[in-house]
Amino acid sequence: MDDTSNLFPPSLAAAVRKLDPDDSEQILEYFKTHALLSREKALLQASVREQKKLLVENGKLKKDIEQLKVQLQDKKGRRTAKALLSPAPPPPTVNTAPATPVNQPTSPTAGATAAARAPHSSTSQGRRRRGEMKAGPTTVALSLGAEPRIDVSRLDLRVGRILGVRHHPLVDSMSVQEVDVGENAPRMVVSKLSEKTQLEEGGLAVFLCNVKACKLKGVVSQARILCCSASDDCIELLAPPTGSAPGNRVTFLNHPGEPDRELQSKQRVWERVQPDLQVDCRGVANYKGCGFEVKGKGLCRAPTLVNCTIK
């Protein structure tokens, strides 16, 4: 720890001794104690912030490693498919023409007819073989080049608990939430909601967690909060079922696929899926008629709205 004599200037100590000669030493000692406590508190807070930062960076590195593993597996699969699709060497030509018996007389007309038929037969067989060889690779190539599925199962939707809410430092209409989505460290979420939308500390909501982190007016947002919207002024947070916990995944019975590690902006998965996210006449959130479900807990609902969109 640094020398305590530099905690405040000598002029302050001289002034205290002049004002109260009897108790000046006790007062100065009191000031020193509180200054040291304040310094230790500041160091502790800086250490906690650094630890949170390292946890977030560690989580990002883990995701990058998993994504690289997936890409490596895809490349291996493509190489294997390419090796399988490479054309096989042509079979050796075998003369299948029947031998003419020695004791059987042959006529010039019969010989000419057989000679005319033989090239036609071998040509048709060669064409058929080439056609058969081309049929297999075409089918496999179409299967390899098929467009990836676009449905709600590619979205990593999770229940999250709002730990804290504050105003955006640059934009009055935006807010910043600190959210627990079941990971080692909380995520920061930047959202633009109406003033009537209530964001309560300790409340639960549904978050899209595999969007790419991006800066919104200078603040990094690591997820997207899902809202039910009847109009620009009528917005509610989508509510998870009672008993849900941070990190619980929202699934869909008719779409059991696994979510992407991170949604690729080129495929525009969220933009193509979002128009089919609706709240029905009973207030239940659904995708093409299939409800937002937290297994063992129930369905996600809009608090009061019906027949509206989810965004």
Side-chain angles (χ1 to χ4, degrees):
M1 187 176 292
D2 297 338
D3 188 6
T4 57
S5 61
N6 297 325
L7 292 175
F8 40 81
S11 58
L12 177 61
V16 172
R17 291 189 179 95
K18 185 176 180 181
L19 291 174
D20 193 346
D22 297 332
D23 299 329
S24 59
E25 294 302 327
Q26 294 181 358
I27 294 173
L28 291 174
E29 188 64 27
Y30 176 81
F31 285 166
K32 289 180 181 180
T33 302
H34 278 269
L36 290 174
L37 289 175
S38 299
R39 179 183 293 179
E40 291 180 358
K41 182 178 179 181
L43 291 174
L44 181 60
Q45 291 176 346
S47 176
V48 171
R49 287 195 298 268
E50 186 66 23
Q51 184 180 7
K52 289 183 178 179
K53 182 180 178 181
L54 291 175
L55 289 174
V56 172
E57 292 178 353
N58 189 23
K60 290 181 179 179
L61 289 175
K62 288 182 179 179
K63 289 184 179 179
D64 292 340
I65 291 172
E66 293 297 331
Q67 189 172 3
L68 290 174
K69 287 182 179 179
V70 173
Q71 292 177 359
L72 182 59
Q73 291 177 356
D74 290 342
K75 288 184 178 180
K76 288 183 179 179
R78 290 176 183 175
R79 290 177 183 174
T80 304
K82 186 176 181 181
L84 293 175
L85 294 178
S86 59
T93 305
V94 179
N95 187 9
T96 58
T100 304
V102 176
N103 59 351
Q104 183 176 357
T106 59
S107 64
T109 306
T113 305
R117 288 178 180 176
H120 178 73
S121 175
S122 61
T123 304
S124 62
Q125 290 178 358
R127 290 177 179 173
R128 184 163 57 250
R129 289 194 190 99
R130 287 195 296 270
E132 291 172 355
M133 289 174 63
K134 290 181 180 179
T138 303
T139 305
V140 179
L142 288 175
S143 63
L144 289 176
E147 183 179 358
R149 75 183 192 282
I150 302 293
D151 61 40
V152 74
S153 66
R154 296 182 62 179
L155 306 182
D156 184 7
L157 298 176
R158 296 188 226 163
V159 177
R161 185 182 303 278
I162 301 174
L163 303 178
V165 182
R166 68 175 186 270
H167 290 292
H168 193 288
L170 301 178
V171 184
D172 293 337
S173 60
M174 302 180 75
S175 63
V176 182
Q177 301 95 45
E178 187 177 4
V179 181
D180 175 15
V181 290
E183 297 174 337
N184 293 332
R187 295 195 185 194
M188 305 306 295
V189 181
V190 181
S191 57
K192 183 178 181 180
L193 302 173
S194 65
E195 296 180 356
K196 298 179 181 179
T197 306
Q198 295 182 355
L199 293 172
E200 298 180 356
E201 294 186 4
L204 297 177
V206 179
F207 295 87
L208 176 60
C209 295
N210 59 344
V211 294
K212 187 175 182 180
C214 62
K215 278 190 177 183
L216 297 177
K217 301 297 182 181
V219 180
V220 177
S221 181
Q222 299 170 308
R224 182 188 185 100
I225 189 169
L226 265 60
C227 302
C228 313
S229 174
S231 64
D232 293 339
D233 296 330
C234 188
I235 300 176
E236 295 179 346
L237 298 183
L238 183 62
T242 304
S244 300
N248 287 162
R249 189 182 165 205
V250 178
T251 58
F252 301 83
L253 182 62
N254 297 338
H255 304 278
E258 290 297 321
D260 294 4
R261 295 286 180 184
E262 183 178 277
L263 296 178
Q264 301 298 320
S265 57
K266 292 183 179 180
Q267 297 182 6
R268 299 176 61 83
V269 176
W270 167 253
E271 290 77 4
R272 296 167 69 177
V273 169
Q274 189 270 329
D276 293 317
L277 304 180
Q278 305 285 335
V279 175
D280 61 18
C281 60
R282 299 174 300 164
V284 177
N286 68 85
Y287 169 76
K288 294 184 177 180
C290 185
F292 286 52
E293 180 182 4
V294 177
K295 289 185 178 180
K297 304 296 190 301
L299 299 174
C300 300
R301 299 174 178 270
T304 61
L305 298 177
V306 295
N307 297 325
C308 62
T309 60
I310 298 174
K311 61 181 183 179

